[in-house]
Amino acid sequence: MRRDERSQEQVRESLARLAELDRLYSEAATAGCRSLAIRRSVDRLLAEDADFTIAWIGVPDQESQLRIRAAGGTRTGLLRDLPVPRGAGLTGKVFARGSVEWVDEYFGSQLITHDFDREIDEEGVTRLIAVPIVSDSRTIGVLSAGVRIPGAFGSRAVERVVAVANSAALAASVAEREQRSAEIAAHEERRRMAVELHDTVGAMLFAIGAGARDMHEHLGDDRALVQRLNRIEEQAAEASRLLRESLRALRASPTELALSVALQADCHAFEERSGVRAHLVSLGDLPVLPQHRINVLLAAVREALLNVEKHAQATSVAVSVSVDDGLLSIAVTDDGVGIPRSFDPLTEVAAPESDGMGLRSVAESLARIGGTLQVRASADGGTVWRARVPV
């Protein structure tokens, strides 16, 4: 196969992979939807507990309001997409307070508002339990379960609804993280393919333009052929411009994913250099950061990974990212030989001196954006390097 034919085949393969990547990314985003994971808890509760005959999930659509997004065992369509203001009815009360609540006589209860008496009456509900669905310290929904016969709830019934709500919260958290992992992987692959297309299509277009310019020297006075070559040069230049724009779009990540995508790429680069497995763990939603802060954090993580590569003798590394109490924390943890003791890179120098100076430079860069750096020995062996910056 000639070189130009091989290049064209590489281009076709790259474009086909890009189309497949977009399809898989779309499927992963849909399958990992947090809302879908929450909604399934309604079916689970009704299927596994015969005492409850109706259940629904309220999901926040704004800070002051829930909307019923899933309901099972209903007799009417009154609950479908029903808005529930914060504090209204039992479901809204639980949304406001964040605690488990129930009423054994719905219509006679003085503990709730009666905004939804018509809907509850039409559904034949006599008593109701509502439980908040909490993930990463946030109320992401309210699970309500009702019974159509008089009586009183016992501790078993309450515990059962709480257990399903907790399971829904866990499933939602896992789905959210899977979706974010799929997004990070997709954008990382798009950036890699952008480089590949640059090296193949970009090189082909450059060769076409250069070849056309070179032929001008051998044309003589053939005006028609000169015009055709000029047109080829113009088309090659225009195609190169469009390619550059497309490559910029392929490389770009949404702002909220920029840090995660870059960290994932650094983990892969570390694996390729060292042969040591490295994986990224993203805990919860990450904030949108200005690019200069992202650059400081990435430089810091790269210095940490470099130290692991040079000195730790590790077999695995984890890079974890989380937000807590207004601080973004990135930790690089290895299972290597560890360090003699914990130290402050701003006031002390580790051995050897060059490594200490590298960490000191990182600590100073973090300090300029209000951050801190801590390096300590892990209780299980190895080293934990942690950077924190305010968000």
Side-chain angles (χ1 to χ4, degrees):
M1 182 181 294
R2 295 202 314 266
R3 180 178 177 181
D4 57 342
E5 293 176 342
R6 185 167 57 252
S7 297
Q8 292 176 27
E9 182 64 23
Q10 289 174 340
V11 171
R12 284 192 291 269
E13 290 177 357
S14 296
L15 293 175
R17 287 203 304 274
L18 182 58
E20 178 67 7
L21 177 65
D22 282 340
R23 184 187 68 80
L24 292 174
Y25 169 65
S26 177
E27 289 181 357
T30 301
C33 179
R34 184 182 73 183
S35 296
L36 180 59
I38 294 176
R39 292 173 190 175
R40 286 174 176 164
S41 61
V42 169
D43 297 331
R44 177 185 171 188
L45 178 63
L46 296 178
E48 297 181 2
D49 197 318
D51 292 339
F52 294 103
T53 51
I54 183 172
W56 60 83
I57 293 282
V59 178
D61 67 353
Q62 52 182 274
E63 290 186 3
S64 60
Q65 180 174 280
L66 294 173
R67 190 170 292 274
I68 305 302
R69 294 300 191 190
T74 58
R75 295 174 176 174
T76 73
L78 294 175
L79 296 178
R80 186 179 301 118
D81 289 328
L82 179 69
V84 180
R86 184 182 292 270
L90 184 63
T91 302
K93 179 182 179 182
V94 168
F95 180 47
R97 293 193 175 186
S99 58
V100 180
E101 303 274 351
W102 68 89
V103 290
D104 290 324
E105 296 182 15
Y106 189 94
F107 296 101
S109 175
Q110 301 300 310
L111 301 177
I112 60 172
T113 71
H114 289 273
D115 302 65
F116 306 106
D117 280 5
R118 172 175 171 266
E119 289 83 359
I120 297 298
D121 184 47
E122 291 287 338
E123 289 292 346
V125 176
T126 60
R127 45 199 172 106
L128 188 67
I129 298 176
V131 179
I133 301 173
V134 180
S135 176
D136 296 324
S137 301
R138 295 177 295 124
T139 298
I140 60 174
V142 174
L143 171 62
S144 298
V147 178
R148 292 188 169 102
I149 58 175
F153 289 120
S155 59
R156 178 198 168 279
V158 176
E159 290 170 359
R160 179 62 190 146
V161 182
V162 169
V164 173
N166 290 340
S167 178
L170 178 60
S173 179
V174 170
E176 191 172 60
R177 289 170 189 174
E178 287 179 349
Q179 182 173 346
R180 180 166 290 272
S181 295
E183 291 170 350
I184 292 170
H187 287 291
E188 183 188 6
E189 178 67 4
R190 289 168 71 93
R191 295 208 310 178
R192 188 195 66 76
M193 292 181 66
V195 174
E196 185 175 313
L197 287 171
H198 174 272
D199 293 343
T200 54
V201 180
M204 290 174 60
L205 290 172
F206 177 81
I208 291 171
R213 288 189 296 273
D214 184 64
M215 288 185 65
H216 274 292
E217 301 177 2
H218 309 286
L219 291 181
D221 297 327
D222 191 333
R223 181 171 299 180
L225 190 53
V226 168
Q227 289 177 344
R228 290 179 62 185
L229 282 176
N230 287 340
R231 181 58 179 160
I232 290 173
E233 285 188 68
E234 292 172 359
Q235 290 174 333
E238 176 64 11
S240 296
R241 183 187 67 80
L242 294 174
L243 175 64
R244 287 192 297 271
E245 292 179 358
S246 299
L247 295 183
R248 278 196 294 271
L250 273 177
R251 291 191 185 100
S253 302
T255 307
E256 64 270 20
L257 288 178
L259 179 60
S260 295
V261 171
L263 288 173
Q264 186 67 70
D266 285 341
C267 286
H268 285 331
F270 171 83
E271 284 188 346
E272 291 177 358
R273 293 195 314 267
S274 66
V276 177
R277 185 185 175 205
H279 58 277
L280 175 68
V281 180
S282 183
L283 305 174
D285 294 331
L286 300 185
V288 176
L289 295 176
Q291 188 60 48
H292 73 279
R293 284 179 172 258
I294 291 177
N295 292 341
V296 171
L297 288 168
L298 291 176
V301 171
R302 287 163 188 162
E303 176 66 22
L305 290 173
L306 181 61
N307 278 334
V308 173
E309 181 181 352
K310 291 165 62 177
H311 303 297
Q313 301 175 37
T315 60
S316 66
V317 178
V319 179
S320 58
V321 192
S322 61
V323 177
D324 188 39
D325 292 333
L327 292 174
L328 173 69
S329 173
I330 302 182
V332 178
T333 305
D334 67 68
D335 63 354
V337 297
I339 57 177
R341 61 188 177 90
S342 300
F343 67 97
D344 181 354
L346 279 177
T347 59
E348 302 180 60
V349 176
E353 183 177 347
S354 60
D355 302 321
M357 293 305 294
L359 290 173
R360 182 180 180 87
S361 176
V362 166
E364 290 172 346
S365 297
L366 288 167
R368 284 193 288 271
I369 61 172
T372 60
L373 176 63
Q374 179 190 56
V375 183
R376 62 178 178 82
S378 172
D380 299 324
T383 304
V384 179
W385 173 104
R386 188 182 303 277
R388 291 186 176 93
V389 295
V391 296

